[in-house]
């Protein structure tokens, strides 16, 4: 009789922790010995794509990160920008894509919670949230099957409720965002949350564990088994068994977070706190080694002192738990009590779990026994970096050449209705009405505006913000698509009269180990870098979310990648005043298209929403972009708006001129009578999405045109506002004639109808 | 006028109320911590919106046991002006200072939007400077704002002219379109809409100013408390 050896426990396999054989070898070299299971777990999460940026790091270096206003750039929990008068803003965007697919409500809720902690861990009080969402189609026809469509609808409902639940209770207004749909997001929705906070220069805190001998204090919620290895999960392609990873999704408690916010800001005021960092991805592991690494110190902790809400947790589980609403702080030795007093007042746990040491190592004890001992710097900052190959063309899922186009129809009334009631263009009121967008009474321009504007009561300045991404265009040309994204964000800010000053990015891509996907990433980052440098909006931080692809449910050999979807969150400043909105206010105003009618051709028209929603096909390339002209358009619009010359301003984007006219009509029910003349086809002139164009309504068209002329920008008088009817003519022919009220009805009811199927 | 703005753990409209009372209306305000029982030298109490104690169990259900509520109850019994907005209204019904209850919105979703309110009575210290029938615009922002009570209570509220505001376009299913009510003695007001968000022209509406003006006038006239 032969006895086979017992099977090796899965946890002893480096692959279980996401470590490749080469990475495992590197771990052995760093430690000078073989790692134990806890150490492998720690290396596994810290060296995961999510935490280490090992694929994107060499390319992220191409992004501009500095300007006179940048107080803190990438590498901290959030970027910080000077806004004058001794005040500053901290902001960042972050994704919670994978968890939101597995458990939409909690996935999205904890996404909001995570980014809010990133802001207040720096000392800033969060004053605004925006979100960029991508979902699969809501109808069986577009989704491929009713099963998939129904799941997509459930994900939308869950994600929106989750964001509302967390943000509303925490008391931060969700003031804007965007939401688009495509089949490539069916198995991989994107939930990117941007948050911004405000504080004074002398209130800034960093995640640094300085001062050997200083106590390391754990505050906030107790540690449980939830979210273990969440960061590692976010670094894998989804497979059929992904839903079994539901336990990897964290559970959020916004009330706890609200208490944590107030307690942290109050404790910071005591002067007893030396450094502070939230426990987000990779929890206790990440916060300890990053704080130590930034300060060049070591940290020693005793796990038995960590507040726990379950019994029998192993060191591995405690170090990798992603339980929410926890922070780690380092206090000045001898002043612990001042910190404890504040947390006691707010009813929160606070416990000294260790101290700062001089040996540069993360030493974890459990009941006195050392269960992990790893050099902080190697763990936090020296993850292997990969130069993944990308010497192929970028992946694209649409043809380059234009199909033979049928002649444009006689009337565009039906096409306009189809377009305005499509999921991408329709009113998103169903979403944003569930968000408290006014709490804190600072929201001067909220959801539905081109840019959100939030005032800072103490300074007389306001912050304008927009988030934008265009996955379809990036799929057609990642470099140009990314440039367009930056241009549109800056254009959004110009329409409210704000000067863009900085940006944060979220890079959502599929599996970078596929060269055709890696190529998308590289091209998009380079395009974004070029445009951000040109528009003088340094990137002060952000997030990378890779492996956003899912194996086909019917055929596991087929993997569906998302559209390459970089998302930009942009921030601008302006003097506090009532911002100009997108809505026409009264009949009898002149309509001026600043930037001119633009141009397109059959190939570039294939990237438009009209091609997609009305013609049912996508092809070709994004519109041509002249960044120099674009910038002059921004300057012109900013001057027009801030000098009070326009009653409304709205940038042209999805759906082109016709959609912009319709959207500006909806606000007050004031219509427009427009007569265009050009050598373009009728459908091209109405719906092409050429950039660098802003629609303004004004009582002083000559003054508007004079400003444009001075900046060498076209400003075409295209018609005037009228009561209640939208009438569009081209070269003398009537193309569309619709009642604003009827079109608005279709536009408003589209999303609730799509979701109620 | 000096208004005490109560701060519960989870209150998030406390600063908004404070700012509206001081910066927009020119009165004094101070924060009252939930563990405090001292309401000295105050002319009125403002229970702000938010999620007191996380709204665990039910909205306002835990707040009614807080130390400060004992004092608020006494303050009200002695004739002091108490206004509860949103979560503050929920706390007032939970603690029995006002009848009825606030349950989940018809449609089961949180709603944030501007609403038109019809002033249903000017016979109160909160609306005395307003015209009966006048329309005020101010935002709502709640998930549990559907006012319910039994028929007898509703009849009584109407018979005693204790309905202060009604929705012009009922957003949440509230019975008889009720947006705000008074206690029998008319010195305690609960309302779901947010007047503190409608006191600054920059915020798009000043429909809330009349409420604070009325309160200040009532206190000035010495009609309230000693």
């Amino acid at each position: 009789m032969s006895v086979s050896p017992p099977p090796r426990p899965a946890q002893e396999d480096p692959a279980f922790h996401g470590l490749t054989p080469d990475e495992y070898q590197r771990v052995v070299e760093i430690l000078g010995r073989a790692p134990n299971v806890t150490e492998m777990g720690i290396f596994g999460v810290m060296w995961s794509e999510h935490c280490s940026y090992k694929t994107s790091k060499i390319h992220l270096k191409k992004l501009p990160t500095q300007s006179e206003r940048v107080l803190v750039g990438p590498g901290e929990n959030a970027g910080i920008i000077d806004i004058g008068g001794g005040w500053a803003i901290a902001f960042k965007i972050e994704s919670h894509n994978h968890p939101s697919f597995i458990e939409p409500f909690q996935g999205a809720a904890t996404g909001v919670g995570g980014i809010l902690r990133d802001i207040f861990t720096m000392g800033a009080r969060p004053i605004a949230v925006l979100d960029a969402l991508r979902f699969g189609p809501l109808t069986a026809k577009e989704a491929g099957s009713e099963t998939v469509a129904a799941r997509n609808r459930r994900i939308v409902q869950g994600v929106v409720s989750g964001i509302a639940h967390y943000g509303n209770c925490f008391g931060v207004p969700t003031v804007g965002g965007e939401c688009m749909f495509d089949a490539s997001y069916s198995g991989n929705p994107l939930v990117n949350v941007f948050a911004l906070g405000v504080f004074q220069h002398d209130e800034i805190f960093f995640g640094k564990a300085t001062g050997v001998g200083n106590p390391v204090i754990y505050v906030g919620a107790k540690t449980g088994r939830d979210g273990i290895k969440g960061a590692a999960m976010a670094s894998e392609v989804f497979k059929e068994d992904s839903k079994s990873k539901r336990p990897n999704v964290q559970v959020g408690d916004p009330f706890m977070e609200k208490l944590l916010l107030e307690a942290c800001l109050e404790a910071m005021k005591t002067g007893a706190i030396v450094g502070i960092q939230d426990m987000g991805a990779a929890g206790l592991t990440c916060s300890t080694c990053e704080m130590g690494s930034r300060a060049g110190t070591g940290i020693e902790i005793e796990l038995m002192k960590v507040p726990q809400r379950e019994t029998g947790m192993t060191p591995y589980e405690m170090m990798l738990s992603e339980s929410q609403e926890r922070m780690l702080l380092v206090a000045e030795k001898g002043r612990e009590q001042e910190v404890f007093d504040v947390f006691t007042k707010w009813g929160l746990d606070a416990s000294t779990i260790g101290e700062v040491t001089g040996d540069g190592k993360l030493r974890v004890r459990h009941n006195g026994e050392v269960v992990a001992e790893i050099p902080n710097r190697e763990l936090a900052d020296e993850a292997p970096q990969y130069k993944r190959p990308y010497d192929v063309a970028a992946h694209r899922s649409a043809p380059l050449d234009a199909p033979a186009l049928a002649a444009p129809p006689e009337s565009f009334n039906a096409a306009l209705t189809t377009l305005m009631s499509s999921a991408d263009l329709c009113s998103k009121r169903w979403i944003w009405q569930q968000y408290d967008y006014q709490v804190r009474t600072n929201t001067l321009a909220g959801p539905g505006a081109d840019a959100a504007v939030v005032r800072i009561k103490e300074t007389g300045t306001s912050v304008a913000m927009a988030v934008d991404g265009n996955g379809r265009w990036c799929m057609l040309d990642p470099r140009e698509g990314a440039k367009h994204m930056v241009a549109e964000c800056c254009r959004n800010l110009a329409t409210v009269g704000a000067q863009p000053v900085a940006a944060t990015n979220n890079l959502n891509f599929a599996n970078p180990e596929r060269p055709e996907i890696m190529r998308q990433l590289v091209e998009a980052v380079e395009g974004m870098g070029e445009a951000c440098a040109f528009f003088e909006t340094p990137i002060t931080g952000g997030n990378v979310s890779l492996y956003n692809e899912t194996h086909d449910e019917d055929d596991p050999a087929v993997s569906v990648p998302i559209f390459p979807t970089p998302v930009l969150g942009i921030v601008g400043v302006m003097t506090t005043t009532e911002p100009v909105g997108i809505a026409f206010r009264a009949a009898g105003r002149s309509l001026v298209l600043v930037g001119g009618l633009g141009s397109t051709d059959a190939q570039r028209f294939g990237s438009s929403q009209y091609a997609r929603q009305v013609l049912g096909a996508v092809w070709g390339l994004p519109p041509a972009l002249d960044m120099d002209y674009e910038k002059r358009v921004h300057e012109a619009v900013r001057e027009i708006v801030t000098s009070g010359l326009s009653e409304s301003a709205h940038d042209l984007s999805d759906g082109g001129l016709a959609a912009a006219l319709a959207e500006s009509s909806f606000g007050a029910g004031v219509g427009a009578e427009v007569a265009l003349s050009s050598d373009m086809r009728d459908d091209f002139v109405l719906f092409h999405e050429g950039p660098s164009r802003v629609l303004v309504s004004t009582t002083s068209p000559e003054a508007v045109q004079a400003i444009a002329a001075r900046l060498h920008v076209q400003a075409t008088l295209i018609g005037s506002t009228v009561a209640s009817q939208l009438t569009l003519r081209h070269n003398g022919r009537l193309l569309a004639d619709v009642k604003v009220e009827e079109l608005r009805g279709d536009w408003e009811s589209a999303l609730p109808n799509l979701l109620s199927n | 006028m000096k208004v005490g703005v109560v701060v519960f753990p989870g209150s998030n409209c406390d600063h908004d109320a404070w700012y509206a009372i001081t910066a927009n209306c020119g009165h004094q305000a101070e924060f009252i911590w939930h563990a405090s029982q001292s309401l000295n030298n105050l002319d009125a109490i403002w229970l702000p919106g938010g999620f007191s104690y996380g709204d665990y169990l039910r909205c306002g259900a835990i707040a009614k046991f807080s130390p400060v509520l004992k004092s608020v109850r006494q303050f009200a019994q002695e004739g002091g002006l108490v206004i509860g907005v949103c979560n503050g209204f929920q706390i007032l019904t939970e603690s029995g200072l006002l009848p009825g209850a606030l349950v989940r919105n018809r449609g089961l979703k949180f709603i944030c939007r501007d609403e038109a309110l019809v002033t249903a009575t000017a016979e109160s210290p909160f609306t005395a400077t307003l015209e009966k029938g006048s329309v005020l615009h101010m935002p709502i922002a709640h998930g549990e704002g559907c006012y319910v009570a039994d028929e007898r209570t509703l009849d009584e509220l109407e018979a005693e002219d204790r309905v202060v505001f009604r929705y012009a376009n009922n957003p949440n299913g509230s019975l008889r379109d009720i947006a705000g009510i008074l206690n029998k003695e008319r010195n305690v007001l609960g309302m779901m809409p947010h007047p503190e968000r409608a006191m600054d022209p920059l915020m798009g509406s000043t429909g809330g100013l009349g409420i604070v003006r009325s309160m200040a006038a009532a206190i000035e006239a010495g009609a309230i408390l000693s």
Side-chain angles (χ1 to χ4, degrees), chain A residues 125 157 161 164-165 167-172 253 255-256 258-259 262 345-346 429-430 432-444 455 457 576-579, chain B residues 7-17 19-20 24 33-34 50-56 109-114 139-141 194 196-198 200-203:
Chain A
R125 179 177 284 279
Q157 310 248 14
S161 308
H165 164 72
N168 295 353
C169 179
F170 179 83
V172 65
D253 178 352
F255 172 58
M256 176 67 83
K258 164 75 172 167
L259 301 182
E262 299 297 344
K345 172 188 163 190
W346 289 95
R429 181 187 298 275
W430 182 91
W432 54 255
Q433 195 170 268
Q434 296 185 51
Y435 304 148
D436 188 342
Y437 53 87
Q438 295 173 320
V439 64
R440 306 199 62 75
T441 57
N442 293 321
T443 309
L444 306 186
R455 72 170 166 190
K457 291 188 179 109
T576 295
T577 174
E578 191 184 341
Chain B
V7 181
F8 298 101
S11 291
N12 61 30
C13 301
D14 45 351
H15 286 267
D16 302 356
Y19 184 82
N24 298 141
W33 185 236
H34 71 120
F51 293 71
S52 56
Y53 306 95
D55 273 353
Y56 289 152
K109 290 197 164 46
F110 190 98
I111 306 171
C112 180
R113 69 173 187 228
D114 291 324
I140 60 164
H194 287 272
E196 79 281 5
R197 295 186 184 186
D200 189 332
L202 269 178
M203 294 298 295

Side-chain angles (χ1 to χ4, degrees), chain A residues 61-226:
Chain A
K61 288 176 185 154
K62 299 169 188 169
L63 296 171
T65 59
Q66 291 304 322
S67 79
E68 279 181 5
R69 283 182 183 268
V70 176
L71 299 178
V72 175
E76 270 290 342
N77 289 299
I80 301 181
I81 294 288
D82 176 27
I83 56 165
W87 287 76
I89 49 176
F91 62 96
K92 195 164 93 165
I93 193 166
E94 200 158 282
S95 64
H96 232 209
N97 303 336
H98 292 77
S100 298
F101 175 67
I102 297 173
E103 214 300 281
F105 181 91
Q106 290 296 347
T110 53
V112 176
I115 189 67
L116 289 172
R117 278 195 303 284
D118 279 337
I119 301 304
F120 70 76
T121 193
M122 309 230 33
R125 179 177 284 279
I127 59 166
V129 162
L130 291 87
D131 35 54
L133 309 175
R134 297 292 182 281
F135 300 108
L138 306 177
T139 62
K141 186 173 160 242
E142 291 172 278
S145 77
E146 177 49 30
T147 313
V148 175
R151 192 182 65 203
N152 290 339
R153 294 195 293 267
R154 268 202 314 280
I155 293 174
V156 173
Q157 310 248 14
V159 164
V160 172
S161 308
I163 293 171
H165 164 72
Y166 210 100
N168 295 353
C169 179
F170 179 83
V172 65
T174 301
V175 295
E178 42 130 40
C179 174
M180 311 287 264
F181 299 83
D182 186 82
S184 73
Y185 304 112
S186 274
N188 248 300
L190 302 185
V191 176
N192 289 185
V193 185
F194 166 102
L196 180 140
V198 62
F199 50 176
Q200 299 187 58
H201 288 196
D202 59 2
E203 295 174 325
I204 299 174
F205 278 80
F206 296 100
K208 277 186 188 161
T210 46
V212 173
N214 277 338
V216 174
I217 301 175
Y218 171 116
V219 299
K222 293 176 170 47
T223 295
R225 287 192 171 92
D226 51 330

Side-chain angles (χ1 to χ4, degrees), chain A residues 416 420 425 582-584 589-593 597 648 650-676 685-687 693-697 718-722 725-729 736 738 740 743:
Chain A
L416 191 55
M420 296 314 292
L425 273 84
I582 71 171
F584 299 146
R589 305 296 188 253
S590 298
L591 292 174
V592 181
L593 191 53
L597 283 175
S648 73
H650 186 20
D651 88 298
L652 271 56
S653 61
D654 291 88
L657 177 59
L661 285 161
E663 287 159 359
S664 288
S665 297
F666 294 152
V670 174
E673 197 159 314
V674 170
L676 309 167
V685 75
L686 290 186
F687 298 107
R693 299 184 296 163
V694 174
L695 174 69
V696 303
S697 63
I718 59 167
S720 57
T721 57
V722 297
Q725 195 79 5
L726 187 58
T727 309
L728 309 177
R729 288 189 170 77
V738 294
V740 170
L743 191 58

